[in-house]
Amino acid sequence: MSKMHSLEKCRPINKYGLINLPKKWRSELGFDCGELVEIRLQKREIWISHLQNDTENQRYISPHGTVAIPAEFRKILNINMDTELCLYVEPEEKAFVLTPA
């Protein structure tokens, strides 16, 4: 497994559960606005990746580069607007990884 790159520390999530994915990394990893992505929970990490499986946790990337984190994931990890989050990129997996700080 390759080393993850830290993008942002203390990145906020808004009241609707949206997180902004940086444009530079969306482009590098091949994510497009309007693309349907897979969001999965692995231990205490939320992975956002290109859709590979038919999963119930699919979300679209908005024209502004935001994606909605499923409410059930936010509840499991106790994430709200005051929760500090770290955003990483996993280049080999072509994925973003979101973790509570």
Side-chain angles (χ1 to χ4, degrees), residues 19-101:
I19 188 83
N20 190 321
L21 305 176
K23 185 176 183 175
K24 174 188 184 277
W25 283 101
R26 286 195 323 264
S27 296
E28 268 195 49
L29 299 176
F31 286 92
D32 297 314
C33 291
E35 178 180 348
L36 191 59
V37 295
E38 176 180 2
I39 302 178
R40 65 188 187 280
L41 188 62
Q42 288 184 205
K43 298 182 183 175
R44 295 199 43 84
E45 301 174 336
I46 298 171
W47 284 66
I48 303 167
S49 58
H50 294 281
L51 189 61
Q52 297 174 10
N53 302 313
D54 188 23
T55 176
E56 64 186 56
N57 291 310
Q58 301 172 3
R59 301 291 188 272
Y60 286 99
I61 298 176
S62 80
H64 302 290
T66 60
V67 67
I69 303 303
E72 62 268 25
F73 291 177
R74 296 191 319 256
K75 185 175 181 179
I76 290 168
L77 297 177
N78 198 27
I79 294 173
N80 58 45
M81 290 182 355
D82 298 322
T83 305
E84 294 182 349
L85 301 170
C86 295
L87 182 64
Y88 300 90
V89 67
E90 209 328 321
E92 284 187 14
E93 299 286 328
K94 293 192 175 185
F96 289 95
V97 182
L98 191 62
T99 62

